[in-house]
Amino acid sequence: MKRVNEDNVKEAMRGGGIKLTLPRFNDELLRKQITWDGWIRWGSFTTLAAIFVWFIVLNPVLGAGSSGLVMILLIMGWLGLNSINAKTGRELAQVSMVLDQDPKRAEGWIALALARKPLLRWVRLMIYHRLAIVRHREQDFAESAAICRGVLEYSLGPAEASRAHLLLILTEASLEIRDMGTAYSSLSQLYGMKVSLVEALQRLSLQIRYEVMTGNYGAAVANIESKLELVELLPAMQCGIVHRLLAIGAERYGDRELAERLNKRAWLLCGDKVIRGIGEDIANSKGMTMVGGEKGLNLGK
């Protein structure tokens, strides 16, 4: 294993056989990174401002030639300060596509991007958002939950629209590790905000899973026909999984006829092997996660 530096990251992304060491997430490291980003940016702005003031005061003494040189240096300094964020911001959109095709390459880019300084806070937080997606797809749910909790403590600025996706990942990861308190809290936040249709479908799926896992079977099968109309909009695999969860809820609620109907639909969509995998141990769905999972709907932004 090798530590992260630009040469190692580039070799790993080319498939050079190097395994990178990304440290486990912790809130303190994120706080320090954001603090250092702020101090470096503040120091850079202060330096540029001081040079500008010095230029204004001494302009008559320096002459036209020196004045032009100072202005060029100021412009270059300003562009250099913002070029890192501009480059990283452009790459954020590209890495979302790489997440599906080559997760290891995406992780290499994340390692390289996290080492850059100074970054705007929202840019750094969105890099961690991509890392949360990678860890979630690797089924390292404790790590993806920790990343989401840490990122959600901050304002996301221009990337505030990603808050819903972070909450969806946190909800599902919490269900996987049986942290029902966090799952309830994140679901409550999701129902208090405006979300897209895709996010609303994922939210409903996770709500049903939460209710079945906590034994609230009556709530799970309440307004069942309205729920099924929405569930049918999900991809086939997810749709079948939710039907199976509802069937478990209906059976335990005592509605055998409804449970049989839902199980038949789940079997048609998923097949017998998947249906058997979602039984007594509802928390462990064999990696068939609803959000950003290997067989789930890609919500990466």
Side-chain angles (χ1 to χ4, degrees), residues 8 43 76 113 127 137 174-175 183 193 196 206 246-247 259 284 298:
N8 288 340
M76 290 179 63
I127 298 170
R137 292 182 177 181
S174 299
L175 291 174
M193 61 194 303
S196 68
L206 293 172
L246 286 169
N284 183 358
N298 178 14

Side-chain angles (χ1 to χ4, degrees), residues 38-81:
W39 276 108
I40 293 172
R41 287 183 63 81
W42 182 85
S44 300
F45 280 129
T46 302
T47 301
L48 290 174
I51 294 174
F52 180 74
V53 171
W54 176 78
F55 161 70
I56 294 297
V57 172
L58 296 182
N59 185 38
V61 179
L62 294 174
S66 298
S67 299
L69 178 61
V70 171
M71 288 303 296
I72 291 173
L73 290 174
L74 285 171
I75 293 171
M76 290 179 63
W78 176 260
L79 292 176
L81 186 61

Side-chain angles (χ1 to χ4, degrees), residues 130-142:
R130 301 319 191 266
L131 181 59
I133 296 173
V134 170
R135 294 293 178 253
H136 201 72
R137 292 182 177 181
E138 292 173 346
Q139 299 182 41
D140 189 348
F141 298 115

Side-chain angles (χ1 to χ4, degrees), residues 22-27 29 135 138 140-144 147:
L22 269 176
R24 301 290 287 181
F25 177 82
N26 68 77
D27 296 328
L29 176 60
R135 294 293 178 253
E138 292 173 346
D140 189 348
F141 298 115
E143 180 74 352
S144 65
I147 295 171

Side-chain angles (χ1 to χ4, degrees), residues 16-233:
I18 288 181
K19 291 185 178 181
L20 297 170
T21 303
L22 269 176
R24 301 290 287 181
F25 177 82
N26 68 77
D27 296 328
E28 184 64 19
L29 176 60
L30 175 58
R31 186 189 66 78
K32 287 181 178 179
Q33 289 173 334
I34 291 175
T35 300
W36 274 108
D37 285 335
W39 276 108
I40 293 172
R41 287 183 63 81
W42 182 85
S44 300
F45 280 129
T46 302
T47 301
L48 290 174
I51 294 174
F52 180 74
V53 171
W54 176 78
F55 161 70
I56 294 297
V57 172
L58 296 182
N59 185 38
V61 179
L62 294 174
S66 298
S67 299
L69 178 61
V70 171
M71 288 303 296
I72 291 173
L73 290 174
L74 285 171
I75 293 171
M76 290 179 63
W78 176 260
L79 292 176
L81 186 61
N82 289 280
S83 63
I84 296 176
N85 289 288
K87 177 182 179 181
T88 306
R90 289 193 302 269
E91 292 173 348
L92 277 169
Q94 299 171 2
V95 79
S96 295
M97 296 182 288
V98 178
L99 282 169
D100 288 328
Q101 303 163 3
D102 191 348
K104 290 300 180 184
R105 184 181 177 192
E107 187 169 349
W109 176 85
I110 290 169
L112 180 60
L114 286 176
R116 295 171 180 166
K117 296 182 182 66
L119 293 174
L120 292 170
R121 182 169 64 180
W122 74 268
V123 174
R124 185 170 295 281
L125 292 175
M126 286 300 96
I127 298 170
Y128 274 105
H129 174 214
R130 301 319 191 266
L131 181 59
I133 296 173
V134 170
R135 294 293 178 253
H136 201 72
R137 292 182 177 181
E138 292 173 346
Q139 299 182 41
D140 189 348
F141 298 115
E143 180 74 352
S144 65
I147 295 171
C148 289
R149 276 195 302 268
V151 172
L152 287 166
E153 290 181 3
Y154 298 90
S155 169
L156 301 181
E160 189 63 32
S162 296
R163 183 171 295 274
H165 187 240
L166 285 160
L167 285 167
L168 287 168
I169 296 175
L170 177 57
T171 301
E172 182 169 59
S174 299
L175 291 174
E176 289 285 345
I177 61 177
R178 291 178 169 83
D179 182 357
M180 309 311 288
T182 299
Y184 175 82
S185 175
S186 51
L187 271 174
S188 298
Q189 292 180 62
L190 281 165
Y191 273 98
M193 61 194 303
K194 187 176 181 180
V195 297
S196 68
L197 174 60
V198 172
E199 290 165 341
L201 293 173
Q202 301 296 332
R203 180 181 62 187
L204 175 61
S205 302
L206 293 172
Q207 175 196 337
I208 291 169
R209 186 175 175 188
Y210 171 83
E211 289 167 346
V212 174
M213 286 180 64
T214 55
N216 195 359
Y217 308 124
V221 298
N223 301 315
I224 186 66
E225 299 304 328
S226 297
K227 287 179 179 177
L228 290 177
E229 288 180 5
L230 292 172
V231 168
E232 289 292 341
L233 298 176

